[in-house]
Amino acid sequence: MRFKIPPVTLTELVKKAPMLLGGSNLVSSNYIKIIAKDNLITLQACNDCAGIVIRGVAEVYEEGEVGVLGKVLDGLAPQITAGQVTFDLEGGRMVLRAGKAKFSLGIIDPDTFLRAPDFNYIEMHPIDDFFALYSQVSHCASSDENNPSKSSVLLRSSSVACTDGRRVGIYYRPLPFPQPIVVQVKYLNLLKRVFKSEATYVGQLDSHICFRQGHVDAYIRLVSKPYYNIDSAIPNDAYDEARIGKHELLASLKNAKVVLKEDEASTLKVQFRSNEMHLSVESALGQMQDIVQCSFYKDFDFLVNLDMFLDAIKKLRGEEVV
């Protein structure tokens, strides 16, 4: 196995792969698989639940594949700034040469890696703002990774939804998922760092959701456990409605945070009276009361967790909250 690649290309490829390294029972989760074939270099990083495949142009003199320690390669790549980088498989080691510098890396059998899904057999659909889309509701997911249902997002043909059992977020939008699928938010957040805010192609194959953007492919294993009955959490009829300016409401909620200690949870009391929204909160530090102008059909009251309410309002698009 022998190939040559520009340092800029090497850095561009390597900086995206290590995001999935470690945190797995797989030995290969600490390694990057390198495939040299047809004047292309392909890097694959994966663990039990997700993987990423990055391709780049290279001068391939001898085809082959091998696994190298990912964190070492990630550390070396930014240091190599001039000339071509040559990779050679010599005596059971991967040898890198750049100018007068020479580095030797330990390797593992490439067959140790989990096989990546074959994207040639996946029907991919363009979604312009997929990662921005799920971010609208991901704050409603739990951070407890030991409970996959609470720390996941539900993708359906008509919406994307999240819940941690206490709050629910649903964003209605047509999506190319004929059957509901459940994906861990943790891995979507990792991929969000790699994929830019441009058209992303999304598809499903067996037990994975797959993504493609330019020369990067990524995949995440689906959660097999059933998700919560989201539709029963939000009633479709017999509810009261009010309309409030988003910026005015946000300003009032931020003022309420002033009377709270850091990380202190508090209940916000909300009352609708005479086209006014009355907000009040109390804590050991003091009390806040405010009035925001709004429109509604009849008086009604409710209590809500201030932090959760503020997070939800921040995520909403548009100038008006309903």
Side-chain angles (χ1 to χ4, degrees):
M1 179 181 181
R2 187 169 187 267
F3 63 90
K4 185 183 292 185
I5 190 170
V8 174
T9 303
L10 176 63
T11 303
E12 180 67 21
L13 293 175
V14 172
K15 72 179 182 180
K16 295 181 178 180
M19 51 169 264
L20 293 174
L21 297 178
S24 169
N25 294 324
L26 296 175
V27 173
S28 61
S29 69
N30 290 312
Y31 286 76
I32 292 177
K33 183 178 182 179
I34 302 177
I35 304 171
K37 185 178 181 181
D38 299 330
N39 284 329
L40 284 175
I41 177 71
T42 302
L43 304 185
Q44 177 192 347
C46 68
N47 60 26
D48 309 75
C49 298
I52 187 166
V53 179
I54 307 114
R55 299 173 298 277
V57 177
E59 296 180 36
V60 178
Y61 305 111
E62 184 178 341
E63 296 183 352
E65 54 185 67
V66 71
V68 300
L69 195 59
K71 292 184 178 179
V72 174
L73 189 60
D74 182 38
L76 286 177
Q79 310 304 320
I80 303 172
T81 58
Q84 297 282 315
V85 185
T86 302
F87 287 71
D88 285 288
L89 191 58
E90 299 178 358
R93 307 279 293 182
M94 175 59 73
V95 178
L96 283 70
R97 293 181 176 87
K100 296 181 179 180
K102 178 180 177 180
F103 308 92
S104 179
L105 307 181
I107 63 173
I108 63 169
D109 187 339
D111 292 335
T112 306
F113 286 78
L114 296 175
R115 184 178 297 276
D118 189 343
F119 278 59
N120 293 323
Y121 296 95
I122 305 173
E123 184 178 358
M124 306 294 285
H125 304 271
I127 303 180
D128 293 340
D129 55 351
F130 177 82
F131 289 97
L133 177 66
Y134 94 88
S135 296
Q136 293 294 313
V137 297
S138 59
H139 66 283
C140 293
S142 170
S143 58
D144 180 10
E145 296 177 9
N146 294 320
N147 191 328
S149 295
K150 289 185 177 181
S151 59
S152 299
V153 59
L154 174 67
L155 301 172
R156 304 185 291 182
S157 60
S158 60
S159 64
V160 53
C162 272
T163 182
D164 60 1
R166 297 179 299 164
R167 51 186 171 176
V168 178
I170 302 179
Y171 189 93
Y172 293 98
R173 159 83 177 271
L175 293 171
F177 302 110
Q179 299 297 325
I181 60 174
V182 182
V183 186
Q184 280 191 278
V185 169
K186 168 186 176 180
Y187 292 106
L188 288 174
N189 287 338
L190 287 173
L191 293 185
K192 186 179 179 181
R193 302 177 191 174
V194 174
F195 288 105
K196 299 177 181 179
S197 56
E198 54 191 52
T200 302
Y201 287 81
V202 182
Q204 182 184 350
L205 179 67
D206 299 329
S207 59
H208 292 84
I209 181 173
C210 303
F211 305 89
R212 169 168 285 175
Q213 191 179 95
H215 61 280
V216 180
D217 293 342
Y219 52 94
I220 303 174
R221 183 177 296 277
L222 302 178
V223 176
S224 58
K225 294 183 178 180
Y227 202 69
Y228 293 94
N229 185 357
I230 288 289
D231 296 319
S232 66
I234 300 180
N236 292 321
D237 54 8
Y239 60 88
D240 300 311
E241 180 180 292
R243 295 179 178 273
I244 313 104
K246 178 181 175 180
H247 298 294
E248 291 81 358
L249 179 57
L250 277 176
S252 181
L253 294 177
K254 290 176 181 178
N255 288 336
K257 291 284 291 181
V258 173
V259 299
L260 300 180
K261 295 179 181 179
E262 186 175 356
D263 298 327
E264 179 184 5
S266 184
T267 299
L268 177 71
K269 183 178 181 180
V270 181
Q271 297 176 302
F272 289 92
R273 300 286 187 276
S274 304
N275 285 331
E276 293 178 339
M277 181 182 187
H278 295 252
L279 302 99
S280 61
V281 63
E282 295 184 12
S283 74
L285 295 181
Q287 182 185 62
M288 190 285 298
Q289 294 181 337
D290 197 7
I291 297 176
V292 178
Q293 297 299 312
C294 64
S295 62
F296 58 93
Y297 299 113
K298 65 177 182 178
D299 296 350
F300 65 97
D301 306 343
F302 64 86
L303 301 175
V304 65
N305 179 283
L306 175 58
D307 289 324
M308 291 184 180
F309 192 47
L310 180 58
D311 286 344
I313 301 302
K314 286 179 179 178
K315 291 290 184 178
L316 294 177
R317 297 178 177 179
E319 299 298 319
E320 188 177 57
V321 177
V322 180

